[in-house]
Amino acid sequence: AALLPRPARGLTDRLYCGRRVCYEVLGVSRQASKAEIARAYRQLARQYHPDRYRGEPAGGEGSGAQAAHEKFLLIAAAYETLKDEETRKDYDYMLDHPEEYYRHYYHYYSRRLAPKVDVTIVILVTVCAISVFQFFSWWSSYNEAINYLASVPKYRIQATEIARQQGLLNKTKEKGKNRRSKEEIREEEEEIIKDIIKNKIDIKGGYQKPKIYDILLFQILLAPFYWCKYIVWYCWWIYSFTIKGQEYGVEEKFYIIRRYMKMSQSQFDSLEDHQKETFLERQLWIRENYEVYKREQEEELKKKMAMDPRWKRYRRWMKNEGPGRLTFIDD
């Protein structure tokens, strides 16, 4: 029944000014300018505003404060409809085409329920906030990694030796006004050691030094470039290795192995060099070799778990106690 054509109607109670014409409510013509509409609204609002009403008759709408209040609401609805160009255009279209009942409902409620803030601005602010959080979070992780490496004796001794060779650790006593406390000298030496570790050690993976183009905002902005780059690279791959049948290089072999292992580039880069050499020695870019290697790794993991005392205790607990259960007690 809702899909059947409705009879042509003009003004309805639930749209705009209801059964009244908004222009007639304000006492202006359809050709009135925004200034004329605003002037008419101010004059009527001063007359029927509840705070200004003092018991005078409310024109042709009856008398009393309640009638004046209803009249003021109708005036405000008329002004809200006519002050906006888009809403006024929809209202004029409704007056000229009253038979398009559902279209008028759609335009009226779509404008009333539409968000007041531009969605594009909301998305942009959200992306910027996430990007700032990402960048500072990565910096925090990177600093944590540097602080940890500075506490490892192996790296600390090497960094201290390099600092001494470069003459950065000045142990001479200072005199006069330039004399510093032992705590200040220790803090300075600590910063020097951390700077050397930052320059000499290549940290990869989740604790690597953050880069500005890795945050979400730049990833979105550079997405078209990355897509074009990937399409060009993929066409080159098909042409070189599928059509021409060239042999894989080291980078190509690592790429295939990484795809088999389902690892990201940063995860693969964090692996030790001897692990990557093992991958090449076992020719894991060949699918059959990788399947054999995968089964071996799974068997080795099972053996380690079987020998792990914590895993043994867990299995014994599962066998004897098991997870929480609900049982009925038969009296």
Side-chain angles (χ1 to χ4, degrees):
L3 296 177
L4 294 175
R6 298 178 64 92
R9 292 185 181 182
L11 304 175
T12 59
D13 293 329
R14 289 172 288 179
L15 299 182
Y16 303 107
C17 299
R19 295 288 179 177
R20 298 287 302 275
V21 178
C22 294
Y23 292 102
E24 295 178 357
V25 171
L26 295 180
V28 296
S29 65
R30 289 187 59 174
Q31 291 74 31
S33 63
K34 294 181 66 175
E36 294 174 345
I37 293 174
R39 190 182 311 113
Y41 167 73
R42 286 193 296 270
Q43 292 176 355
L44 294 173
R46 283 194 295 266
Q47 180 179 356
Y48 294 101
H49 196 280
D51 294 339
R52 291 176 173 270
Y53 183 73
R54 293 293 182 270
E56 295 87 351
E61 300 293 332
S63 61
Q66 182 63 29
H69 178 69
E70 294 177 357
K71 178 69 174 181
F72 177 77
L73 294 179
L74 182 62
I75 294 169
Y79 178 67
E80 290 294 327
T81 301
L82 301 180
K83 74 174 184 178
D84 182 69
E85 291 294 337
E86 298 297 327
T87 308
R88 183 178 180 181
K89 187 183 300 182
D90 292 339
Y91 183 70
D92 290 342
Y93 187 86
M94 186 186 75
L95 295 178
D96 297 333
H97 305 82
E99 71 280 358
E100 299 183 16
Y101 182 80
Y102 296 110
R103 183 181 187 277
H104 305 323
Y105 256 87
Y106 169 76
H107 282 282
Y108 177 76
Y109 285 105
S110 63
R111 294 192 183 279
R112 286 181 63 91
L113 301 178
K116 302 301 181 182
V117 181
D118 190 358
V119 178
T120 306
I121 298 177
V122 175
I123 295 175
L124 181 60
V125 172
T126 304
V127 170
C128 291
I130 294 174
S131 301
V132 172
F133 176 78
Q134 275 184 327
F135 188 73
F136 284 102
S137 176
W138 287 344
W139 262 113
S140 177
S141 300
Y142 176 69
N143 290 329
E144 288 179 4
I146 295 298
N147 293 333
Y148 170 75
L149 294 175
S151 64
V152 176
K154 173 184 175 181
Y155 300 113
R156 188 176 186 86
I157 292 172
Q158 294 178 2
T160 304
E161 186 63 27
I162 294 173
R164 286 201 181 101
Q165 293 175 1
Q166 296 178 357
L168 299 176
L169 298 179
N170 186 9
K171 296 293 185 179
T172 59
K173 295 183 178 180
E174 298 173 342
K175 298 180 181 180
K177 297 182 179 179
N178 296 328
R179 185 176 181 180
R180 295 175 298 170
S181 63
K182 293 182 179 180
E183 186 66 26
E184 292 175 345
I185 296 175
R186 192 180 301 111
E187 290 178 359
E188 183 181 356
E189 292 178 353
E190 190 70 20
E191 292 298 326
I192 292 173
I193 292 173
K194 290 180 181 180
D195 289 339
I196 293 175
I197 291 176
K198 290 179 182 179
N199 297 327
K200 296 296 182 180
I201 295 182
D202 184 18
I203 302 176
K204 297 180 180 179
Y207 292 93
Q208 64 183 355
K209 188 175 182 179
K211 299 176 182 178
I212 191 68
Y213 53 81
D214 287 336
I215 64 176
L216 179 61
L217 178 61
F218 281 86
Q219 290 291 313
I220 294 175
L221 295 177
L222 297 176
F225 169 74
Y226 288 144
W227 274 107
C228 294
K229 184 179 178 180
Y230 175 77
I231 292 173
V232 172
W233 173 86
Y234 187 74
C235 295
W236 168 82
W237 183 282
I238 296 296
Y239 175 76
S240 300
F241 303 114
T242 303
I243 299 176
K244 297 183 65 176
Q246 296 180 0
E247 294 185 0
Y248 294 125
V250 177
E251 294 297 329
E252 288 77 20
K253 293 175 182 178
F254 279 148
Y255 170 76
I256 297 174
I257 295 171
R258 180 172 65 83
R259 292 293 300 272
Y260 286 161
M261 294 183 173
K262 298 179 180 180
M263 299 175 65
S264 64
Q265 185 65 51
S266 60
Q267 290 174 330
F268 192 80
D269 291 340
S270 62
L271 297 176
E272 299 291 340
D273 292 336
H274 67 85
Q275 291 179 289
K276 297 180 181 179
E277 292 176 0
T278 303
F279 297 160
L280 295 177
E281 291 174 359
R282 302 206 43 183
Q283 299 182 353
L284 296 188
W285 65 89
I286 302 175
R287 188 72 184 189
E288 293 77 10
N289 297 341
Y290 173 75
E291 293 296 336
V292 174
Y293 173 81
K294 182 179 179 182
R295 287 193 295 269
E296 292 177 357
Q297 293 296 312
E298 291 175 353
E299 291 296 329
E300 185 177 353
L301 180 60
K302 290 180 181 178
K303 292 179 181 179
K304 288 182 179 180
M305 294 178 66
M307 298 302 295
D308 189 357
R310 291 177 297 179
W311 178 246
K312 287 183 178 180
R313 289 196 299 268
Y314 174 73
R315 287 188 301 168
R316 187 164 52 249
W317 176 79
M318 287 294 292
K319 180 180 179 180
N320 298 330
E321 303 293 336
R325 296 190 294 260
L326 290 175
T327 59
F328 288 100
I329 299 177
D330 190 5
D331 292 335

